[in-house]
Amino acid sequence: MLVAAGEGRRLGHETPKQFLPIAGVPMLHRALRPFTSHPDVRQVVVVLPASQASAPPGWLAALAGDQLRIVAGGAQRMDSVEQGIRALGAECMLVLVHDAARPLLRREIVAAVIDQARKGTGAIAAVPLSDTLKESGPVSGMPQIRRTIPRDGLWRAQTPQGFPRPMLERAFAAARKDGATGTDEAALVERIGEPVVLVPDSGWNIKVTTPEDLDLAELIAARQQP
């Protein structure tokens, strides 16, 4: 499942973020490739804002069919992911969730996440932190350091995130019952006490959020070109 239901306003483009070109290829199209080309991926669901889901660009409409479905997302990420899960066929017993704003994913990471999820555990692509972390305190003017946080054992969560489907559905049901939310799917699975494995990923699997990210994605994509 590729989640692309946000508006992407921080980039400041009229074109929706997921359709912006990166080295000549729409961002969403780049994000799709590692999944549509993977022999173990049986179905892909693309979750878009309602207005785009009803009128997708021509290249995406041409891909739609039994193996690639386009659905409308909701107000929050949880809503959008749930809509995507519902659109999956009953035979899909492993679910991978990927941010369409991460267009530089390598297919071997998809394979590694699938391999771990097949073992009955959650699995997420992640990168160990290398920066020194500072926590700021509530002060007027410039932020002031409250403390330095040891980075040992800290990872930056990325996507894809993969889970056995029943586990993910239980996690969402529990969150709805408790009124809980999470910034990613792993956080919801953690809430119900299920283990989630960290799959070491590349720092090139960046999330495009700001204009600077878009510039960096262009440079990485150019380097990855054959």
Side-chain angles (χ1 to χ4, degrees):
M1 175 195 319
L2 273 82
V3 183
E7 298 296 334
R9 293 190 179 94
R10 278 180 281 183
L11 275 179
H13 285 262
E14 291 186 7
T15 301
K17 178 173 74 172
Q18 52 267 35
F19 302 138
L20 286 172
I22 295 178
V25 179
M27 188 184 305
L28 175 57
H29 202 174
R30 281 189 177 275
L32 274 169
R33 286 174 173 173
F35 298 94
T36 56
S37 66
H38 198 289
D40 291 338
V41 175
R42 304 299 183 188
Q43 185 180 43
V44 176
V45 173
V46 178
V47 186
L48 295 172
S51 60
Q52 297 168 21
S54 60
W59 66 264
L60 182 56
L63 295 175
D66 290 341
Q67 300 306 310
L68 192 150
R69 299 179 183 176
I70 302 170
V71 301
Q76 305 295 329
R77 181 185 177 89
M78 280 182 59
D79 305 320
S80 296
V81 174
E82 282 187 310
Q83 291 291 88
I85 294 172
R86 295 187 188 107
L88 291 170
E91 72 279 7
C92 293
M93 297 308 294
L94 292 179
V95 180
L96 270 65
V97 183
H98 184 60
D99 293 324
R102 294 186 185 273
L104 302 169
L105 173 68
R106 296 174 299 155
R107 200 173 82 166
E108 55 262 37
I109 299 301
V110 175
V113 172
I114 289 173
D115 287 345
Q116 289 296 332
R118 278 180 170 155
K119 297 175 183 178
T121 186
I124 71 170
V127 176
L129 287 182
S130 58
D131 296 322
T132 298
L133 300 180
K134 304 291 186 180
E135 180 182 316
S136 66
V139 297
S140 58
M142 293 295 291
Q144 181 174 325
I145 295 172
R146 173 184 287 172
R147 66 184 177 117
T148 298
I149 301 173
R151 66 186 179 218
D152 294 343
L154 296 182
W155 294 63
R156 185 172 69 247
Q158 300 189 161
T159 64
Q161 303 192 355
F163 311 90
R165 184 173 183 170
M167 177 189 296
L168 190 58
E169 289 177 334
R170 284 193 295 109
F172 271 83
R176 292 297 185 194
K177 179 182 177 182
D178 300 338
T181 59
T183 55
D184 68 356
E185 290 65 52
L188 302 182
V189 171
E190 292 163 41
R191 285 190 70 254
I192 63 171
E194 294 287 355
V196 181
V197 173
L198 296 163
V199 175
D201 193 6
S202 165
W204 281 13
N205 184 16
I206 65 170
K207 186 174 184 179
V208 177
T209 304
T210 67
E212 292 80 9
D213 296 332
L214 188 59
D215 291 341
L216 180 57
E218 288 274 358
L219 293 172
I220 297 172
R223 182 169 178 174
Q224 289 180 337
Q225 295 285 2

